[in-house]
Amino acid sequence: MKVVVQRAKDASVKVNEEIVGEITQGLVILVGITHEDKEEDADFLADKIANLRIFEDEEGKMNLSLLDVGGEVLSVSQFTLYGDCKKGRRPNFMAAAKPDDALILYEYFNEKLREKGIAVETGKFGAMMDVQLTNVGPVTFIIEGK
């Protein structure tokens, strides 16, 4: 699994001009899943994200986690994270997991975050989505599973 984590003060995702997920303070997480990914990868990433100290404390230092600030998550599936652009001019998506398999692991990952007490909003898996966010900092990280 590969995730792009962006710290946001607000974010939303629309499908067909309708908002299907929306958060205030928290993280926007773009989630990519490949063939070899397992539940242990999702467990690792959910724990890492919930406890990653990327929010500022009263001194302006990144010392607080999503759990510390009571932040929310907007989780958006993004198979293009496994697009290979090394050859040619069109990305190759052979490394992305098949949709049925990816959906199961994506939902599992979101549930693991919820089990930690985090409010999780999502886009619509497999749909064409418009994602809007205000990235604070900007702060963006790319994190991969084990």
Side-chain angles (χ1 to χ4, degrees):
M1 288 179 74
K2 183 186 300 185
V3 296
V4 175
V5 177
Q6 298 178 295
R7 191 173 71 179
K9 70 174 162 182
D10 56 62
S12 64
V13 60
K14 290 181 181 180
V15 175
N16 297 323
E17 298 300 318
E18 179 183 335
I19 293 176
V20 296
E22 187 173 31
I23 64 165
T24 54
Q25 178 187 17
L27 299 174
V28 174
I29 304 173
L30 306 176
V31 183
I33 298 170
T34 190
H35 304 289
E36 298 84 29
D37 291 332
K38 306 260 187 282
E39 287 181 353
E40 66 186 32
D41 296 298
D43 293 339
F44 170 81
L45 287 171
D47 187 61
K48 175 68 80 175
I49 290 165
N51 293 290
L52 194 62
R53 298 181 344 181
I54 59 174
F55 292 90
E56 294 176 354
D57 63 15
E58 58 281 342
E59 295 177 12
K61 295 186 179 186
M62 287 190 194
N63 274 328
L64 302 175
S65 71
L66 185 64
L67 292 171
D68 294 331
V69 300
E72 304 167 298
V73 164
L74 178 60
S75 174
V76 179
S77 62
Q78 182 138 14
F79 78 96
T80 60
L81 289 176
Y82 279 101
D84 183 353
C85 298
K86 291 177 186 167
K87 293 182 180 179
R89 296 179 188 247
R90 185 181 323 179
N92 174 329
F93 297 105
M94 297 300 291
K98 292 180 181 173
D100 291 344
D101 297 333
L103 176 59
I104 292 168
L105 196 54
Y106 172 68
E107 289 177 341
Y108 176 86
F109 168 73
N110 292 328
E111 189 55 37
K112 287 297 171 181
L113 289 169
R114 289 183 182 107
E115 287 175 8
K116 295 178 181 309
I118 298 167
V120 178
E121 293 279 318
T122 66
K124 184 175 179 189
F125 188 90
M128 181 64 74
M129 297 175 272
D130 296 331
V131 180
Q132 182 174 347
L133 73 138
T134 304
N135 186 328
V136 180
V139 173
T140 303
F141 298 95
I142 300 171
I143 307 169
E144 296 192 56
K146 289 185 167 185

